[in-house]
């Protein structure tokens, strides 16, 4: 992209005489990056990031922005989203329509145990801890800030969350295991589910199916994001 701009700058004097304002050059850079990002294979929503990064850098230079602020923002983002890099699972939350569906999926027997793998802010854990047939609702989370918030939330409203990697959990203990992750960990997670979960128990994946296995049921919900629940009875 810089080479295209450099070429443009070499040719521009034949059409418009210099000097050229930096802000105009930065705007051209941002627009060009925006136009090509989708075509070069990046997910199309990245075009906004491509647009704002050069402008942000330029504004940062203009206002003599202390780089420690950038470091602080980066640290904050890292503390919320470390699993986006390591596991390719960012943080987004289950909505109330999906939670109602989870409630309908619980069997009528008493004393069932529930686990949310990557529990985010702990909303599902609290919700399930308040259901009559759930005796224990647990969640595990490794992102520091979501874990801390989930810990406080569950201390106040019910359930328990642990600062634990989901790969280290013992799924054998649970009757219902819920995951809302991404396509990336699903094949490995299915191996774990198969090895550890007891016959008759439920594994529920929000949005991401296990490609090599047909689910026992698929629920298509009528929320705004048209959530699909893939339900696997072991
Ligand atoms: C899409 S969010 C879902 C949050 C919550 N379960 C919900 O449905 O509202 C996925 C969460 O999984 C967490 N996560 C990803 N990999 C993990 C791992 N190996 N161990 C524990 N948590 C993990 C992420 O940090 C993120 O908070």
């Amino acid at each position: 992209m810089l080479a295209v701009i450099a070429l443009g700058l070499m040719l521009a004097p034949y059409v418009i005489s210099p000097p050229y304002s930096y802000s105009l050059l930065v705007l051209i850079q941002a627009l060009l990056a925006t136009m090509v990002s989708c075509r070069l294979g990046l997910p199309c929503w990245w075009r906004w990031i491509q647009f704002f990064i050069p402008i942000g850098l330029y504004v940062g230079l203009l206002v003599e922005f202390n780089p420690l602020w950038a470091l602080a923002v980066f640290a904050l983002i890292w503390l919320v989203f470390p699993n986006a890099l390591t596991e390719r699972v960012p943080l987004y939350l289950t909505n109330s329509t999906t939670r109602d569906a989870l409630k309908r999926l619980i069997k009528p027997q008493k004393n069932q145990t529930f686990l949310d793998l990557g529990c985010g802010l702990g909303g599902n854990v609290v919700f399930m801890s308040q259901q009559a047939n759930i005796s224990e609702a647990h969640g595990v989370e490794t992102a520091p800030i979501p874990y801390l918030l989930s810990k406080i939330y569950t201390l106040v409203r019910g359930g328990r969350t642990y600062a634990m990697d989901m790969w280290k959990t013992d799924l054998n203990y649970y009757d219902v295991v819920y995951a809302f992750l991404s396509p990336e960990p699903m094949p490995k997670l299915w191996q774990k589910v198969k090895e550890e979960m007891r016959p008759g128990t439920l594994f529920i994946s929000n949005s991401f199916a296990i490609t090599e296995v047909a689910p026992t049921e698929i629920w298509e919900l009528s929320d705004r994001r048209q959530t699909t629940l893939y339900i696997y009875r072991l």
Side-chain angles (χ1 to χ4, degrees):
M1 196 54 54
L2 284 174
V4 173
I5 295 199
L7 185 70
L9 276 176
M10 279 163 64
L11 298 176
Y14 296 106
V15 189
I16 314 160
S17 43
Y20 312 115
S21 87
Y22 285 136
S23 48
L24 182 68
L25 294 176
V26 169
L27 190 66
I28 291 171
Q29 152 94 45
L31 285 173
L32 283 175
T34 308
M35 275 161 25
V36 297
S37 63
C38 205
R39 283 181 205 155
L40 290 183
L42 273 178
C44 290
W45 55 267
W46 264 82
R47 62 165 78 101
W48 295 107
I49 297 175
Q50 299 283 69
F51 182 74
F52 284 112
I53 279 184
I55 295 175
L57 283 175
Y58 181 59
V59 171
L61 285 172
L62 277 187
V63 297
E64 290 178 6
F65 181 78
N66 186 335
L68 282 178
W69 281 107
L71 185 63
V73 171
F74 173 77
L76 189 68
I77 292 173
W78 174 258
L79 291 171
V80 177
F81 296 104
N83 289 314
L85 282 186
T86 53
E87 301 271 4
R88 301 194 62 83
V89 179
L91 172 70
Y92 30 76
L93 302 175
T94 295
N95 59 30
S96 58
T97 312
T98 311
R99 285 203 189 121
D100 283 336
L102 289 182
K103 182 173 159 183
R104 280 184 274 129
L105 274 164
I106 305 171
K107 285 197 281 184
Q109 289 101 291
K110 293 252 171 251
N111 290 328
Q112 293 178 71
T113 45
F114 169 84
L115 175 67
D116 187 358
L117 289 169
C119 64
L121 309 183
N124 300 329
V125 179
V126 167
F127 178 82
M128 292 306 261
S129 76
Q130 294 167 350
Q131 305 310 313
N133 292 330
I134 297 290
S135 55
E136 288 176 75
H138 295 162
V140 291
E141 178 58 63
T142 45
I145 289 182
Y147 166 69
L148 214 70
L149 295 175
S150 78
K151 194 75 195 162
I152 296 167
Y153 191 27
T154 49
L155 275 175
V156 178
R157 302 290 304 279
R160 281 189 88 157
T161 58
Y162 300 89
M164 186 191 277
D165 190 329
M166 67 176 175
W167 303 113
K168 298 203 171 124
T169 52
D170 180 7
L171 302 185
N172 189 264
Y173 187 69
Y174 297 96
D175 298 297
V176 183
V177 173
Y178 174 73
F180 185 19
L181 299 167
S182 82
E184 190 79 9
M186 295 318 285
K188 185 173 162 198
L189 185 55
W190 178 243
Q191 291 308 316
K192 184 172 170 62
V193 165
K194 266 196 318 189
E195 279 162 28
E196 296 177 19
M197 288 188 74
R198 287 173 277 112
T201 54
L202 269 188
F203 172 65
I204 305 162
S205 174
N206 183 336
S207 305
F208 307 108
I210 293 145
T211 42
E212 69 269 31
V213 191
T216 319
E217 283 180 63
I218 298 179
W219 284 19
E220 277 166 6
L221 308 183
S222 54
D223 53 347
R224 209 151 51 102
R225 65 181 290 276
Q226 300 191 301
T227 298
T228 304
L229 289 181
Y230 298 93
I231 300 151
Y232 303 85
R233 185 163 300 282
L234 275 292

